[in-house]
Amino acid sequence: MELVQLVDFQAHGDERGTLVSLESAKNIPFEIKRVYYMFDTQSDVARGFHAHKKLKQAAICISGNCTMLLDDGLRKESVVLSSPKQAVLIDPMVWHEMSDFSENCILLVLADDIYDENDYIRDYDDFIRRCQK
Ligand code: TYD
């Protein structure tokens, strides 16, 4: 499977503007239990730098653009997120780093579970060791 899995959303546009709807099992391939978003990010400050043991996520740059690096322990691939009509899926056991935030970037993330610090792997060497098991 490709490391970068993108989901393109249908956009409902008319003279009033554009609307995108996100729905579990319809265009988001998991049950959405949590939504969070990042804003006031800085172009020269990267964040993320972790993987999740079990959590599935989808990230959508609903304003501006940023770069998402994905790393499954074997491959590293980057994708520029620049459309509110597209998500990148972040599977469990995928190290991810977000960087190059544009001005007014808003990165929305959907997750299939509540926040749990025990699900995080924040040490890269630990991540690689776990990938090799
Ligand atoms: P952090 O994991 O450091 O952000 P990033 O992955 O972008 O580097 O999260 C920043 C802070 O927000 C940290 O104190 C944990 C907290 N947080 C929550 O309370 N709930 C959440 O759902 C998330 C994602 C983070």
Side-chain angles (χ1 to χ4, degrees):
M1 192 187 278
E2 294 294 316
L3 188 50
V4 174
Q5 302 170 68
L6 298 171
V7 180
D8 290 307
F9 303 127
Q10 188 189 349
H12 304 274
D14 57 33
E15 64 284 355
R16 299 168 300 166
T18 308
L19 182 153
V20 171
S21 164
L22 307 173
E23 220 177 293
S24 295
K26 197 168 177 187
N27 54 5
I28 299 296
F30 52 75
E31 195 69 34
I32 301 163
K33 266 203 190 166
R34 176 166 52 111
V35 177
Y36 61 93
Y37 46 93
M38 278 156 257
F39 59 99
D40 287 348
T41 44
Q42 291 162 57
S43 60
D44 57 346
V45 182
R47 53 189 305 165
F49 297 93
H50 63 255
H52 288 280
K53 297 172 192 166
K54 292 193 175 150
L55 192 72
K56 290 181 190 165
Q57 300 190 99
I60 306 155
C61 202
I62 57 171
S63 172
N65 59 77
C66 67
T67 299
M68 175 82 68
L69 171 94
L70 301 177
D71 174 351
D72 66 0
L74 295 172
R75 300 168 291 176
K76 288 180 203 239
E77 286 178 23
S78 281
V79 59
V80 175
L81 299 176
S82 59
S83 169
K85 295 191 283 186
Q86 186 177 65
V88 63
L89 302 181
I90 308 168
D91 278 341
M93 292 307 292
V94 173
W95 185 267
H96 48 286
E97 300 172 8
M98 294 84 82
S99 63
D100 299 328
F101 295 95
S102 69
E103 211 175 306
N104 297 327
C105 178
I106 303 175
L107 185 63
L108 180 79
V109 184
L110 313 176
D112 78 339
D113 210 347
I114 58 169
Y115 176 73
D116 176 9
E117 187 57 39
N118 290 322
D119 187 62
Y120 280 73
I121 305 167
R122 292 193 183 271
D123 180 80
Y124 188 73
D125 294 338
D126 182 24
F127 167 70
I128 293 296
R129 270 193 300 275
R130 286 169 185 263
C131 288
Q132 288 164 347
K133 275 186 190 161

